[in-house]
């Protein structure tokens, strides 16, 4: 047990902080600061029981720690008078008795009830060395901040008495310390603290007189994880619960079985979101009652099919999908099914995927071209009055025939497009799944043992590898088009950390293929199509050839070690998305702002440059971990400092534009700037930011070399000037 709490003193006097030690040989009393105990903090004195327990079972520390321990052990006789061990059973359960679902079909399971704890023994006895060694746990299987080694009563030679928990031979945890003058201190679980129940289970958060109350984080022995509100020792309020949470420590987002929402007395009650953890995006948003799905809700299937009804669930059972007015009144009593049903099984390439949206968009583009053609013909007729009758008659005849042909074949074209596109998805399904997994783990250096989920940042990297910029399409344009369809459930258009499930990944690829390769005219004879041909062309020419290239800086080390959350915050301050022009304006003031000076370049000291890496620890929030324990506070930006990229001030605007031209070839044409208002996503900002940083460092180092060279030349001139002067006199 390792608990850090706010301390409370029952009685304390100033005189209690001075401890006198009697010299039994001379009969004199003197101040002894070495044996003083304080009520302000926990004692760090290491203690050993009378049984002489061996320190060999303790986890190895540093050489200095070993020497200090050995020296202290030799001094125990002059400090401790007696040590009595209290044998007592642990009375607090390591975790509450909880019932939460984790299967797809039932989504509930019954937790095993724990046997009642035996009554604690109040007898006190000294343990022998053999008994202590037999009861010791292998130190390699538990951390040094483990449970209390024992509970003991320790009497010091100066009259002080301690009764409470001992961890690693230190007074640690709950306990009572009484000074010889009667002052009493109680080491109470109140406020913020951490308590470990076993090597893999513990609670960190707020306490109220030994009860978990307030904000806190709990990990159970079965690896279940909860972070949120507590009341009277149970989950109440808002919180996140994850079943079977693994310590991830990679940049891959895990597919988690989790619940986010309202809790009441340890059960799910109210609105919440339940992720089923299948790696395909199936989840439920809606109402819960007594830990079960109940009432209004929306269920998203593995391929994006949306089921939404007023009485979608009743006591965890799917209800009927439609009601009339009479049935609605009695729906809650009749919704529950008498027989258990198998969970829904959906296929990514079945008829419910929603391919019709892509076909409709492609046909709209064709219709626009035909409208332009019709307007041109009408304008030509107006400009040639002499041929009005003849030309108009022919044009109307052709137009009628065209319209009849379109009406006759329109449904046939749509059906054939859907069948062809579905077959294309089937053909590339294995490749698509491999590419999805490759980019979901593209920043990892080691294998993972869970199902990863792609995020938008890694999807951008795929398109960057496929050179979509060189084809005139930007990542921001792709995001906007994808976000326009609400059925694709994009929460925000440009958030780099948003989850992209496999069915959303498929829709995004079809969208990009349509923008790059879809025909702007009706297809010819079979097997000619609009979308299916475009998708096959995109897969064969771009995706299969370019996937895994790791183009740019992000996947080549920089993305793992540059704090992504901090850099994303800087990006958002400039705008999400923002333009290249905005990026340039954040480096220096415009030339006509002569009254504003350029800030000097700031070099942060090494202690403010933490070395770490981006990882997902628990859950789906990216974190940046460092070995340095120093907390770094963000300096508030003053009103005068509006240039958020002023440290790139040693770079010319022309240099920065050339850097962006490597990412956006359409930015410049023959050394002529075509458009500075191109929107950039976070990945493109990251790429330009890193290249600018590298170039800025190179320019600064080059300037330093030139300064050293000129300084050396000036020194040589000064040293040689007296000789030259005397030579001239001769």
């Amino acid at each position: 047990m390792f608990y850090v709490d706010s301390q409370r003193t029952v009685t304390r006097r100033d005189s209690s902080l001075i401890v006198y030690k009697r010299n039994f040989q001379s009969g004199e009393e003197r101040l002894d600061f070495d044996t003083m105990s304080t009520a302000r903090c926990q004692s760090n004195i290491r203690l050993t029981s009378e049984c002489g327990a061996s320190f060999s079972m303790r986890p190895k520390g540093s050489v200095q720690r070993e020497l200090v321990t050995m020296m202290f052990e030799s001094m125990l006789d002059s400090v401790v008078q007696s040590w009595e061990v209290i044998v007592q059973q642990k009375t607090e359960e390591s975790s509450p008795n909880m019932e939460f679902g984790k299967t797809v079909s039932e989504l509930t399971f019954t937790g095993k009830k724990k046997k009642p704890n035996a009554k604690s023994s109040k007898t006190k006895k000294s343990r022998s060395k053999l008994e202590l060694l037999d009861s010791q746990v292998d130190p390699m299987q538990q951390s040094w901040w483990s449970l209390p080694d024992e509970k003991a009563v320790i009497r010091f030679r100066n009259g002080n008495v301690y009764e409470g928990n001992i961890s690693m031979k230190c007074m640690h945890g709950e306990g009572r310390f009484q000074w010889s003058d009667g002052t009493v201190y109680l080491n109470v679980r109140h406020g913020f603290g951490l308590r470990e129940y076993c090597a893999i289970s513990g609670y960190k958060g707020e306490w109220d007189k030994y009860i978990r109350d307030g904000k806190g984080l709990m990990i159970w022995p079965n690896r279940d994880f909860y972070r949120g509100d507590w009341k009277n020792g149970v989950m109440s309020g808002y919180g996140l619960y994850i079943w079977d949470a693994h310590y991830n420590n990679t940049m891959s987002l895990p597919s988690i079985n989790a619940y986010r929402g309202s809790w009441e007395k340890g059960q799910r009650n109210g609105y919440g979101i339940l992720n089923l953890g299948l790696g395909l995006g199936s989840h439920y948003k809606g109402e819960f009652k007594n830990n079960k799905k109940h009432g209004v809700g929306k269920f998203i299937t593995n391929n994006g099919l949306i089921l939404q009804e007023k009485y979608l669930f009743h006591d965890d059972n799917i209800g009927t999908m439609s009601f009339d007015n009479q049935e609605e009144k009695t729906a809650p009593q009749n919704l529950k099914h008498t027989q258990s049903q198998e969970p829904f099984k959906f296929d990514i390439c079945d008829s419910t995927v929603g391919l019709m949206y892509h076909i409709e968009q492609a046909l709209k583009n064709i219709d626009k071209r035909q409208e332009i053609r019709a307007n041109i013909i009408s304008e030509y007729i107006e400009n040639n009055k002499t041929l009005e009758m003849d030309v108009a008659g022919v044009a109307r005849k052709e137009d009628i025939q065209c319209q009849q042909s379109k009406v006759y074949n329109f449904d046939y074209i749509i059906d054939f497009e859907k069948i062809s596109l579905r077959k294309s998805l089937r053909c590339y399904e294995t490749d698509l799944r491999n590419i999805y997994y490759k980019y979901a783990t593209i920043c990892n250096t080691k294998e993972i043992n869970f199902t990863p989920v792609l995020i938008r940042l890694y999807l951008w990297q795929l398109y960057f590898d496929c050179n979509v910029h060189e084809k005139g399409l930007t990542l921001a344009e792709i995001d906007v088009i994808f976000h326009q369809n609400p059925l694709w459930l994009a929460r925000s258009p440009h958030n780099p950390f948003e989850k992209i499930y496999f069915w959303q990944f498929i829709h995004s690829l079809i969208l990009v293929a349509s923008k790059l390769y879809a025909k702007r005219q009706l297809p010819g004879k079979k097997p000619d199509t609009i979308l299916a041909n475009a998708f096959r062309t995109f897969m064969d020419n771009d995706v299969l050839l370019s996937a895994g290239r790791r183009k740019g800086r992000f996947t080549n080390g920089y993305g793992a070690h540059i704090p992504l959350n901090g850099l994303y915050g800087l990006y958002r301050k400039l705008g999400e998305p923002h333009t290249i022009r905005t990026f340039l304006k954040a480096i220096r003031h415009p030339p006509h702002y002569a009254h504003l000076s350029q800030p000097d370049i700031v070099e942060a000291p090494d202690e403010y440059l933490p070395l770490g890496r981006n990882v997902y620890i628990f859950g789906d929030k990216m974190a940046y971990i460092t070995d340095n324990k120093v907390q770094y506070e963000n300096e508030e930006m003053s009103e005068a400092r509006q240039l958020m990229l002023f440290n790139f001030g040693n770079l010319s605007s022309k240099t920065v534009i050339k850097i962006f031209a490597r990412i956006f070839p359409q930015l410049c044409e023959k050394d002529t700037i075509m458009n500075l208002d191109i929107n950039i996503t976070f990945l493109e900002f990251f790429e330009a930011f890193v290249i600018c940083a590298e170039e800025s460092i190179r320019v600064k180092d080059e300037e330093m070399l030139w300064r050293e060279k000129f300084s050396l030349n000036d020194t040589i001139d000064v040293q040689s000037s007296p000789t030259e002067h005397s030579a001239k006199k001769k």
Side-chain angles (χ1 to χ4, degrees):
M1 177 178 64
F2 184 75
Y3 183 78
V4 182
D5 61 359
S6 58
Q7 295 124 355
R8 180 177 65 184
T9 302
V10 178
T11 61
R12 185 178 67 192
R13 299 180 303 193
D14 294 338
S15 60
S16 67
L17 300 179
I18 302 177
V19 181
Y20 290 89
K21 181 177 180 181
R22 179 178 296 276
N23 190 325
F24 293 98
Q25 295 180 355
S26 62
E28 297 179 354
E29 289 186 350
R30 62 179 177 85
L31 279 173
D32 187 359
F33 294 95
D34 294 336
T35 59
M36 288 196 328
S37 301
T38 175
R40 293 187 177 91
C41 62
Q42 296 175 348
S43 172
N44 291 326
I45 300 177
R46 295 189 173 275
L47 307 175
T48 302
S49 62
E50 292 179 341
C51 59
S54 172
F55 281 83
S56 61
M57 298 301 294
R58 179 177 54 81
K60 293 292 185 181
S62 64
V63 176
Q64 180 180 3
R65 185 177 176 185
E66 294 287 340
L67 293 175
V68 171
T69 302
M70 293 173 62
M71 294 176 62
F72 171 74
E73 188 175 13
S74 64
M75 299 169 56
L76 285 179
D77 291 339
S78 62
V79 178
V80 177
Q81 179 179 352
S82 66
W83 181 321
E84 294 180 341
V85 177
I86 302 175
V87 179
Q88 182 175 347
Q89 295 289 335
K90 187 177 177 182
T91 58
E92 183 179 354
E93 292 185 354
S94 63
S95 61
N97 200 11
M98 305 170 59
E99 295 182 357
F100 298 124
K102 67 184 300 181
T103 62
V104 182
S105 57
E106 298 178 352
L107 298 177
T108 57
F109 70 88
T110 304
K112 295 181 180 179
K113 296 183 178 180
K114 295 186 177 180
K115 296 181 180 180
N117 291 328
K119 294 184 178 180
S120 60
S121 174
K122 297 184 179 179
T123 61
K124 302 179 180 179
K125 64 179 182 179
S126 297
R127 295 190 296 180
S128 66
K129 182 175 181 180
L130 180 61
E131 289 173 341
L132 181 63
L133 293 177
D134 290 341
S135 62
Q136 278 281 16
V137 181
D138 184 1
M140 298 302 293
Q141 298 179 0
Q142 66 177 150
S143 57
W144 64 269
W145 45 286
S146 59
L147 286 168
D149 294 336
E150 56 195 6
K151 189 171 185 179
V153 177
I154 305 171
R155 291 179 173 83
F156 297 88
R157 294 188 181 277
N158 60 1
N160 298 342
V161 179
Y162 172 77
E163 179 179 355
N165 293 327
I166 303 296
S167 179
M168 295 295 295
K169 308 308 174 188
C170 292
M171 293 180 288
H172 196 74
E174 302 173 29
R176 180 180 185 273
F177 193 96
Q178 180 174 343
W179 281 263
S180 58
D181 63 354
T183 301
V184 177
Y185 172 74
L186 296 175
N187 260 34
V188 175
R189 234 181 297 153
H190 187 82
F192 182 85
L194 183 149
R195 181 183 178 95
E196 188 175 80
Y197 300 102
C198 67
I200 59 174
S201 173
Y203 172 81
K204 180 180 180 180
E206 298 174 349
W207 300 78
D208 184 12
K209 298 179 181 179
Y210 298 93
I211 302 297
R212 292 183 289 267
D213 197 289
K215 300 288 185 182
L217 181 152
M218 181 81 177
I219 300 177
W220 281 266
N222 62 352
R223 295 195 298 268
D224 285 2
F225 171 95
Y226 175 79
R227 180 178 59 225
D229 299 328
W230 296 80
K231 187 69 175 178
N232 295 328
V234 296
M235 297 170 289
S236 292
Y238 180 84
L240 165 66
Y241 193 99
I242 303 176
W243 287 267
D244 196 21
H246 292 274
Y247 181 72
N248 184 355
N249 204 26
T250 69
M251 287 188 67
S252 291
L253 176 64
S255 175
I256 59 175
N257 188 1
Y259 170 79
R260 296 176 179 82
S262 300
W263 297 81
E264 183 179 353
K265 297 180 180 179
Q267 291 188 329
R268 293 168 290 184
N269 273 283
Y271 179 81
I273 302 175
L274 179 66
N275 294 95
L276 302 185
L278 301 178
L280 298 174
S282 55
H283 63 277
Y284 168 76
K285 294 182 178 180
E287 297 295 325
F288 287 80
K289 183 179 179 181
N290 297 330
N291 220 33
K292 296 181 179 180
K293 299 181 293 297
H294 185 92
V296 181
K298 178 189 295 186
F299 190 85
I300 313 299
T301 64
N302 293 342
N303 63 350
L305 179 65
I306 301 175
L307 306 177
Q308 184 173 10
E309 285 293 335
K310 185 176 181 180
Y311 298 103
L312 183 62
F313 280 93
H314 182 81
D315 290 340
D316 255 3
N317 291 275
I318 293 183
T320 56
M321 299 305 294
S322 62
F323 311 100
D324 55 28
N325 294 333
Q326 297 296 328
E327 291 176 338
E328 283 190 6
K329 298 179 181 179
T330 59
Q333 289 77 18
N334 300 329
L335 279 176
K336 190 173 181 179
H337 290 194
T338 57
Q339 297 180 353
S340 61
Q341 295 183 347
E342 292 294 326
F344 285 104
K345 296 181 180 179
F346 298 97
D347 191 352
I348 189 61
C349 295
D350 66 8
S351 59
T352 62
V353 171
L355 302 180
M356 187 61 191
Y357 177 84
H358 298 284
I359 298 174
E360 290 177 351
Q361 295 300 314
L363 293 177
K364 285 181 180 179
N365 292 334
I366 293 176
D367 291 339
K368 291 179 181 178
R369 299 294 293 269
Q370 290 180 345
E371 290 175 1
I372 294 174
R373 177 178 174 272
N375 292 333
I376 293 175
I377 294 176
S378 299
E379 184 179 358
Y380 177 80
I381 293 174
E382 291 294 331
N383 295 332
N384 294 271
K385 295 293 185 180
T386 57
L387 301 176
E388 180 177 357
M389 297 300 297
D390 296 336
V391 175
V394 174
R396 282 196 297 270
K397 184 176 180 181
E398 291 181 352
D399 187 55
I400 292 173
Q401 292 177 352
C402 180
Q403 294 295 332
Q404 290 177 349
S405 176
K406 287 171 57 179
V407 172
Y408 180 77
N409 294 323
F410 191 72
D411 294 336
Y412 173 78
I413 292 174
I414 293 178
D415 292 338
F416 186 69
E417 282 287 343
K418 288 195 297 186
I419 294 173
S420 301
L421 185 55
R422 194 173 301 120
K423 288 182 178 179
S424 298
L425 292 174
R426 286 286 188 190
C427 178
Y428 294 102
E429 184 173 4
T430 301
D431 294 323
L432 291 172
R433 293 189 183 277
N434 292 336
I435 292 172
Y436 182 88
Y437 181 85
K438 178 183 295 185
Y439 277 86
T441 60
I442 195 166
C443 290
N444 290 356
T445 57
K446 57 183 179 180
E447 295 293 331
I448 58 175
N449 57 357
F450 56 84
T451 302
V453 177
L454 187 70
I455 61 175
R456 180 175 284 123
L457 183 60
Y458 302 158
L459 179 61
W460 286 338
Q461 181 65 44
L462 170 62
Y463 292 142
F464 192 41
D465 290 342
C466 293
N467 299 321
V468 296
H469 297 84
E470 298 179 3
K471 298 176 176 62
L473 189 62
T474 66
L475 301 180
E477 291 173 346
I478 297 174
D479 292 341
V480 171
I481 299 173
F482 188 87
H483 190 258
Q484 288 176 350
N485 187 3
L487 297 179
W488 291 344
L489 305 178
R491 299 178 60 185
S492 63
H494 306 292
N495 188 344
F497 305 109
E498 183 172 345
K499 302 173 185 175
I500 303 294
Y501 294 106
F502 186 70
W503 64 271
Q504 294 171 313
F505 172 69
I506 294 297
H507 283 301
S508 181
L509 290 176
I510 298 174
L511 183 151
V512 175
S514 178
K515 296 297 293 184
L516 294 180
Y517 296 107
K519 298 179 179 179
R520 299 296 183 260
Q521 59 186 7
L522 290 174
K525 297 181 179 180
K526 287 185 180 181
D528 190 20
T529 59
I530 300 175
L531 279 180
N533 284 354
F535 183 75
R536 287 194 293 267
T537 302
F538 181 53
M539 289 295 297
D540 293 338
N541 295 350
D542 300 318
V543 177
L544 296 181
L545 293 179
S546 303
R549 288 179 56 193
R550 296 176 176 265
K551 181 181 176 182
R553 266 71 169 172
F554 177 74
T555 56
N556 290 294
Y558 288 98
H561 298 287
I562 294 179
L564 293 181
N565 286 327
L567 190 60
Y568 180 54
L570 175 61
Y571 166 79
R572 294 187 66 184
K573 288 181 180 179
L574 295 176
E576 186 180 33
H578 60 265
T579 63
I580 300 175
R581 189 187 303 275
T582 303
F583 190 97
L584 290 170
K585 291 168 64 177
I587 297 177
R588 61 172 51 86
H589 296 291
H592 55 277
Y593 284 9
H595 61 286
L596 296 177
S597 60
Q598 181 71 16
D600 295 331
I601 296 178
V602 177
E603 294 187 11
D606 293 340
E607 57 267 23
Y608 290 97
L609 298 175
L611 297 178
R613 52 196 177 91
N614 299 291
V615 294
Y616 287 99
I617 302 295
F618 285 106
D620 53 1
K621 298 296 182 182
M622 181 79 77
Y624 188 76
I625 59 173
T626 65
D627 295 331
N628 198 334
K629 297 181 181 179
V630 179
Q631 298 294 328
Y632 300 96
E633 297 181 357
N634 294 327
E635 181 182 357
E636 293 293 335
M637 184 175 297
S638 62
E639 294 295 331
R641 181 178 292 181
Q642 299 178 354
L643 301 177
M644 286 177 280
L645 301 177
F646 70 95
N647 252 18
F648 297 154
N650 60 344
L651 300 180
S652 65
S653 298
K654 184 177 181 180
T655 300
V656 177
I657 292 174
K658 286 184 176 180
I659 290 174
F660 274 103
R662 303 178 195 175
I663 305 172
F664 302 96
Q666 66 271 32
L667 175 61
C668 297
E669 184 176 340
K670 296 181 180 179
D671 296 332
T672 301
I673 300 175
M674 304 302 296
N675 184 13
L676 288 177
D677 295 323
I678 300 175
N679 285 324
I680 58 177
T681 62
F682 177 63
L683 178 66
E684 295 153 339
F685 172 83
F686 183 96
E687 184 74 12
F689 183 90
V690 173
I691 298 176
C692 286
E694 293 175 338
E695 185 66 16
S696 177
I697 294 172
R698 187 193 66 80
V699 171
K700 183 181 65 175
D701 293 342
E702 193 173 276
E703 290 177 353
M704 291 181 63
L705 290 176
W706 279 105
R707 289 175 183 175
E708 292 177 357
K709 183 178 180 180
F710 287 138
S711 176
L712 181 62
N713 292 336
D714 292 341
T715 303
I716 294 175
D717 291 340
V718 171
Q719 292 176 353
S720 62
S721 58
T723 305
E724 294 177 354
H725 182 68
S726 60
K728 290 180 180 178
K729 290 180 67 176
K730 290 180 180 180

